[in-house]
Amino acid sequence: MTQDTEESVVDHTINALRAGIRDHSFAPGQRLIVADITRRLGVSAGPVREAIRRLNGEGLIDIQPNRGAVVRRFDAADIAEIFSVREAVEARAAELAALNIDQGDNRRKLDEIMAEAPDAEAEGGPRYIDHNARFHALIYEMAGNNKLREVAEGLTLPIYRMQFHQLMVRRSATTSARDHDRIVDAIRRGDGPAAFQAMRDHVRRSGLGMQEAVATKLNRLKP
C-alpha cells in the first residue's frame, strides 16, 4: 500500500466516524472498539487507530483511563465555553473581511454565496448546514489571517460535527440567515466595526440556540 493510499483510507475512516457521530450511529459516551470499527468499515486496524487519534485532537473523541476511546459528550457548559471564544475570533474575522472587501475577488465570492442563501434557507437541514459552514469559511478566507483560521477550526469542528447541531439548525435557519444579511451588509460597506458587532451578535445568538438544543435533547433522554 502506498503512502497516498494509506492516507486516503485514514481520511475515509475519519469521515465515516464523523458521520456516525453526527447521526448517532455512535452515541455520546459510546466506546469505540478498534476491532468493531474495522469490521464495520472494512479497513485495517492502523487507519482506525490513526482516525481515533486525529478525532481526539479535534475534540470529538475522548481517551479515558480504563475505557479507551469514547464519543465525547457535549453539555451546556462545553457549548458556553466554546462560543465565548468564538464570539471574539469570528467577530475579528468579519472585521478584517470588511477591511479586505475590495481585495482580489472577495466581493464576487461574497455575492455568489449570498445568492445561494434563499434556497438553502428554504430547504434547511443538511443543505443549510453546508451553506452556513461555507459562509463562515469564506469570512475567514477574506480575513486573510491564517492564525485566526486555525483557532476557528479547532473551535468549529466539534460544534459542526456534534449531535445537537441539526436540531438547532432546524429551529434557527431563518434567524441565522437574517444575521448573515446584517453581517454581509456591513462587510460590503467596508464597515469593520459594524461587521465585528454583527458577527458577535450572531455567534452569541447561535451559542444560546445550541445550549437550548442541548438542554432539550438531554431532557428527552432523562428516564
Side-chain angles (χ1 to χ4, degrees):
M1 180 182 295
T2 67
Q3 184 174 349
D4 288 345
T5 302
E6 184 175 352
E7 186 64 22
S8 68
V9 175
V10 172
D11 289 340
H12 164 74
T13 306
I14 289 172
N15 291 333
L17 289 176
R18 280 178 181 154
I21 291 170
R22 185 174 61 245
D23 66 18
H24 271 205
S25 296
F26 300 109
Q30 178 179 336
R31 289 183 63 202
L32 297 176
I33 300 171
V34 172
D36 292 345
I37 297 171
T38 61
R39 286 192 294 271
R40 179 171 179 161
L41 301 182
V43 298
S44 61
V48 174
R49 293 192 183 96
E50 177 61 17
I52 287 172
R53 185 189 69 79
R54 295 191 195 180
L55 293 175
N56 172 244
E58 291 180 6
L60 282 178
I61 290 172
D62 287 331
I63 306 298
Q64 298 181 353
N66 302 319
R67 293 199 70 203
V70 299
V71 178
R72 182 177 175 185
R73 293 181 185 273
F74 287 88
D75 59 25
D78 293 321
I79 305 308
E81 290 179 1
I82 291 171
F83 272 93
S84 69
V85 180
R86 282 188 63 195
E87 278 187 36
V89 173
E90 297 210 31
R92 176 58 175 160
E95 181 180 32
L96 290 174
L99 298 178
N100 294 336
I101 183 60
D102 289 318
Q103 292 188 12
D105 55 358
N106 282 343
R107 191 177 291 274
R108 177 187 62 79
K109 289 180 178 179
L110 191 62
D111 290 345
E112 285 179 353
I113 201 164
M114 291 308 291
E116 303 172 8
D119 288 343
E121 178 190 346
E123 187 171 328
R127 181 169 180 186
Y128 189 78
I129 290 173
D130 175 70
H131 171 79
N132 183 65
R134 290 188 297 108
F135 172 81
H136 285 273
L138 177 60
I139 299 300
Y140 282 105
E141 178 185 329
M142 293 172 63
N145 187 311
N146 289 330
K147 292 302 179 184
L148 273 180
R149 188 199 297 259
E150 288 172 9
V151 172
E153 287 176 350
L155 296 167
T156 302
L157 275 171
I159 291 297
Y160 285 97
R161 309 296 185 191
M162 69 180 296
Q163 298 85 1
F164 306 102
H165 185 243
Q166 292 191 28
L167 173 61
M168 188 274 289
V169 167
R170 285 198 295 272
R171 295 177 173 182
S172 61
T174 299
T175 300
S176 176
R178 299 293 78 76
D179 284 351
H180 287 187
D181 289 341
R182 287 188 285 273
I183 294 164
V184 169
D185 179 64
I187 291 175
R188 282 173 172 155
R189 291 185 282 108
D191 189 337
F196 182 99
Q197 189 60 54
M199 181 63 85
R200 188 170 188 174
D201 291 344
H202 169 57
V203 174
R204 181 170 296 175
R205 205 170 357 257
S206 296
L208 292 173
M210 188 73 78
Q211 290 176 65
E212 181 184 349
V214 169
T216 299
K217 185 70 174 182
L218 293 179
N219 284 337
R220 288 176 179 172
L221 294 176
K222 288 181 179 178

